[in-house]
Amino acid sequence: MPNQREDGGNQREVARQLATLIAASPETLGVIGHGNSDTSIAAAEVYQANQLVMISPISSAVQLSNLGSYIFRTMPSDQLTAKALVTHMLNSMKKRKVVVFFNSASEYSKSLKNEFKNALFYSAGVDLLGEFDLSRPDFDAYESINESIVKGAEVVLLASDHTMSDRAMQVVSINEKRLKMLAGDSFFSPNLLKIAGKEAIGIVVAVPANLVQSSPFWRKFTRLWGNQIPLSWRSSLAYDATQSLVTAIRSEPTRNGVQRALSQPSFAATGAEGAVRFLPSGDRQGNVHLMTIAPTSSGKATRYSFKILR
């Protein structure tokens, strides 16, 4: 497998073109990628047709499940994320009235919104009081929050993707902690801590990796990069995807062999926080973790950070 990095620029057609180019090289035995769900879905058809394994580290849209026998991912499906958020809303927050903010132009955002709605469907007495499309030209964060409060909403789900992060953070700031907030993994970002600050305290964010600071992977990461570069779940899952592909190639260094190795029920690769295994759907076996945003004091300064929700 050549040591090669290609950038799809988060554009679907560019991703398809790159996938066609990569698949044409017989030396390529597997691909780590693509970036977001939109580009991964676009490229997956090409890789499947050319019997070339793709392991996506950070794509969560449910459309990737069962998309093909050569398509895998180390990130849990949005179905698991939505279930974890709904369970927390009902059992821990004790809230049952919710509105959703999403981006209709993003497969990831639509997937998380729809899976959240599906999870709500099985819970009696829960009211979805509104959906607000962040990508609309006439979107108004102030009016949307006020409308939600008037309707009796208790909770906001922020199902935004990174392209609408500015508008989603406007929602956080304007809310002023009046409504409880849940968010998908896209919200795990240092920018949220810097921009929203104290208004972000208490937001519950679902993430696909635990990021235990005492783990061997954390220690290796800090030895290599130091303490100034934060370790994110994206880095952790990219490591897991790489370890999985390397393990499979060592087992059977052909395109078909890599697919066979990854598909075996006994397959396991040593990942950042434990063994990496795959379901027959290509999804990773694993759980979703919940984090919250809390203040930390350093002298006279107050900073904000993500903390595992106990």
Side-chain angles (χ1 to χ4, degrees):
M1 181 180 66
N3 181 12
Q4 183 174 351
R5 180 182 184 274
E6 299 286 359
D7 184 5
N10 290 332
Q11 299 181 39
R12 300 178 196 183
E13 187 53 41
V14 174
R16 275 190 285 266
Q17 292 172 4
L18 282 174
T20 301
L21 179 65
I22 293 169
S25 171
E27 296 179 343
T28 304
L29 301 183
V31 177
I32 306 295
H34 287 225
N36 62 22
S37 293
D38 295 65
T39 53
S40 292
I41 292 169
E45 181 179 347
V46 177
Y47 295 129
Q48 180 65 28
N50 286 273
Q51 297 186 333
L52 177 62
V53 160
M54 176 187 88
I55 306 179
S56 177
I58 60 172
S59 300
S60 62
V62 293
Q63 292 94 318
L64 274 178
S65 300
N66 296 305
L67 202 56
S69 58
Y70 284 76
I71 309 304
F72 299 84
R73 58 172 157 196
T74 51
M75 182 168 187
S77 162
D78 287 326
Q79 187 177 53
L80 292 179
T81 300
K83 183 178 179 181
L85 290 172
V86 168
T87 299
H88 181 79
M89 183 184 79
L90 298 177
N91 297 342
S92 298
M93 290 181 168
K94 307 295 184 183
K95 305 296 184 184
R96 309 187 76 84
K97 300 180 186 297
V98 60
V99 293
V100 177
F101 288 75
F102 74 107
N103 175 11
S104 64
S106 163
E107 292 298 333
Y108 156 74
S109 186
K110 290 188 295 183
S111 173
L112 180 55
K113 174 186 74 91
N114 291 335
E115 291 306 311
F116 187 81
K117 289 172 64 176
N118 289 341
L120 289 178
F121 178 78
Y122 294 100
S123 303
V126 177
D127 294 322
L128 178 61
L129 299 179
E131 299 179 16
F132 299 94
D133 186 354
L134 295 162
S135 67
R136 285 177 59 96
D138 61 348
F139 174 78
D140 187 312
Y142 181 83
E143 291 296 332
S144 299
I145 284 294
N146 281 349
E147 181 182 336
S148 300
I149 292 172
V150 168
K151 286 182 174 180
E154 301 168 316
V155 179
V156 169
L157 169 66
L158 295 165
S160 170
D161 68 325
H162 73 283
T163 66
M164 290 292 145
S165 60
D166 288 347
R167 290 190 173 186
M169 280 188 272
Q170 286 178 13
V171 174
V172 173
S173 297
I174 289 170
N175 180 55
E176 296 180 322
K177 294 188 282 190
R178 289 175 289 176
L179 303 178
K180 300 287 187 181
M181 288 195 157
L182 305 170
D185 50 72
S186 180
F187 253 72
F188 188 91
S189 165
N191 286 336
L192 175 64
L193 304 176
K194 293 176 183 177
I195 297 172
K198 66 179 182 180
E199 302 301 343
I201 293 174
I203 294 178
V204 175
V205 183
V207 295
N210 198 356
L211 304 178
V212 178
Q213 295 192 23
S214 60
S215 69
F217 178 69
W218 188 289
R219 292 195 294 269
K220 289 179 183 177
F221 184 91
T222 51
R223 281 201 302 268
L224 183 61
W225 300 106
N227 294 315
Q228 300 304 311
I229 299 177
L231 174 61
S232 77
W233 61 262
R234 296 170 180 85
S235 302
S236 177
L237 296 188
Y239 178 84
D240 290 353
T242 303
Q243 288 294 95
S244 298
L245 185 56
V246 168
T247 300
I249 289 174
R250 286 174 177 165
S251 174
E252 237 182 304
T254 66
R255 286 191 178 185
N256 292 338
V258 169
Q259 188 274 338
R260 280 194 297 270
L262 291 169
S263 300
Q264 292 297 317
S266 59
F267 175 84
T270 303
E273 304 294 341
V276 182
R277 297 182 174 89
F278 297 99
L279 299 168
S281 62
D283 293 333
R284 181 190 185 152
Q285 294 184 30
N287 297 313
V288 172
H289 306 275
L290 299 181
M291 304 190 78
T292 190
I293 298 168
T296 56
S297 297
S298 177
K300 294 183 178 180
T302 299
R303 298 181 180 179
Y304 306 93
S305 60
F306 290 97
K307 304 289 186 183
I308 289 291
L309 195 62
R310 301 298 180 186

